């Protein structure tokens, strides 16, 4: 994988998605364990979508002091928490079970009609958990969005502005359904451990093109995040 960014990209390529899921879950658990031993608690933000399901199944079997871990989402769709397209529903069904039933889950969705009206409340919720996040696991869409930082959203510039004092932003993508709530670019970039999880040749090509020195500007959101992140970003990929 050849790419440039301010973040140092560390590729991890696997022969199968199952192997990837096992190793990614181990990497997450190890980073959380380090955080617990150094600071007494840990925070994890996970993506929704289809890609993380196998990793969730691995992670929920891992032994850790999960009662010292706070978990939230990098983004959610503004839907009732039991809607089939809600990331909160996905995480409740596939992640917060077995060993992980002891973890503290902090949802992004509130009772507000629109996500823009909920920003102060969500910020307050997230500030109650260890910041910066110890681990942020990102996915990526075919348009180069990550979290809900969609290239087509009018609110992208505000959500990507490093001076934005909020932890979260509300976005309305043109190319995908539902209003969104997302961690801001700066919140994601500050993570102590940043992991990108992508599968399939198509996403690999999209990612490499986005990260290439010759990539057209404005750069895609996934690159904008990594250009802002000062440390290592582990890129987990399998066909
Ligand atoms: O709510 C969401 O949609 C996500 O958190 C989003 O950023 C996701 O990671 C990508 O869209 C990839 O989605 P897939 O894993 O389904 O390809």
């Amino acid at each position: 994988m050849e790419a440039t960014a301010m973040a140092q990209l560390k590729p991890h390529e696997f022969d199968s998605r199952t192997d990837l899921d096992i190793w990614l879950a181990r990497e997450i658990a190890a980073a959380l364990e380090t955080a617990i031993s150094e600071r007494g608690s840990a925070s994890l933000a996970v993506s929704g979508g289809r890609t993380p399901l196998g990793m969730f199944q691995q992670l929920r079997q891992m032994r850790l002091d999960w009662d010292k871990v706070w978990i939230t989402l990098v983004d959610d769709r503004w839907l009732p928490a039991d809607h089939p397209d809600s990331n909160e529903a996905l995480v409740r069904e596939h992640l917060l079970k077995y060993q992980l039933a002891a973890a503290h889950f902090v949802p992004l969705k509130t009772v507000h009609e629109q996500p823009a009206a909920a920003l102060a409340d969500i910020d307050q919720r997230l500030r109650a958990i260890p910041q910066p996040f110890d681990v942020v696991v990102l996915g990526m869409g075919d348009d180069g969005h990550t979290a809900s930082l969609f290239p087509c959203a009018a609110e992208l510039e505000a959500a990507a502005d490093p001076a934005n004092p909020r932890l979260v932003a509300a976005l309305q993508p043109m190319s995908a359904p539902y209003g969104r709530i997302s961690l801001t670019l700066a919140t994601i970039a500050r993570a102590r451990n940043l992991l990108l999880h992508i599968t399939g040749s198509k996403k690999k090509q999209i990612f490499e093109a986005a990260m290439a020195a010759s990539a057209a500007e404005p750069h895609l959101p996934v690159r904008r995040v990594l250009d802002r992140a000062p440390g290592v970003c582990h890129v987990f990929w399998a066909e």
Side-chain angles (χ1 to χ4, degrees):
M1 200 170 272
E2 283 176 36
T4 59
M6 183 176 172
Q8 189 199 333
L9 300 183
K10 193 155 180 227
H12 305 260
E13 301 201 358
F14 297 89
D15 292 337
S16 74
R17 293 188 185 191
T18 305
D19 285 351
L20 184 160
D21 292 335
I22 292 167
W23 285 99
L24 178 55
R26 286 183 185 168
E27 181 86 21
I28 294 167
L32 295 174
E33 197 166 18
T34 301
I36 293 169
S37 69
E38 288 177 357
R39 290 178 292 281
S41 61
S43 53
L44 164 67
V46 294
S47 288
R50 305 316 294 172
T51 308
L53 289 182
M55 178 274 281
F56 288 168
Q57 284 167 16
Q58 297 296 331
L59 191 61
R60 71 192 189 193
Q61 297 174 44
M62 298 215 161
R63 287 186 188 281
L64 193 73
D65 289 339
W66 288 109
D67 60 333
K68 297 183 174 144
V69 178
W70 273 256
I71 299 180
T72 190
L73 288 153
V74 301
D75 69 328
D76 210 347
R77 299 105 189 252
W78 209 251
L79 293 168
D82 57 355
H83 189 285
D85 290 342
S86 153
N87 285 340
E88 179 176 340
L90 180 96
V91 158
R92 287 191 188 280
E93 187 182 343
H94 295 279
L95 183 64
L96 303 173
K97 294 195 158 159
Y98 306 102
Q99 305 289 334
L100 257 90
H104 308 276
F105 179 63
V106 179
L108 298 180
K109 179 73 172 62
T110 66
V111 293
H112 297 82
E113 289 246 318
Q114 298 298 331
L119 298 181
D121 283 20
I122 303 169
D123 244 55
Q124 205 180 3
R125 281 185 190 176
L126 293 181
R127 286 186 198 284
I129 70 183
Q131 293 287 336
F133 285 104
D134 291 300
V135 182
V136 168
V137 189
L138 296 172
M140 188 195 76
D142 290 351
D143 59 356
H145 81 261
T146 191
S148 275
L149 303 173
F150 281 84
C152 61
E155 304 85 354
L156 176 66
E157 289 315 315
D161 181 352
N164 185 334
R166 295 259 184 242
L167 296 177
V168 286
L171 298 102
Q172 181 64 61
M174 315 293 252
S175 59
Y178 316 125
R180 307 288 177 123
I181 186 79
S182 177
L183 298 186
T184 62
L185 183 148
T187 309
I188 296 170
R190 272 196 299 273
R192 288 194 165 92
N193 294 275
L194 194 53
L195 311 172
L196 175 66
H197 181 188
I198 50 176
T199 51
S201 310
K202 188 173 172 197
K203 281 197 184 180
K204 187 180 187 188
Q205 276 168 18
I206 293 164
F207 178 67
E208 289 182 340
M211 301 308 295
S214 57
E217 295 198 37
H219 290 144
L220 292 177
V222 66
R223 166 141 185 194
R224 292 177 67 173
V225 169
L226 298 184
D227 278 350
R228 196 85 214 162
V232 173
C233 175
H234 295 269
V235 183
F236 280 74
W237 179 84
E239 186 62 59

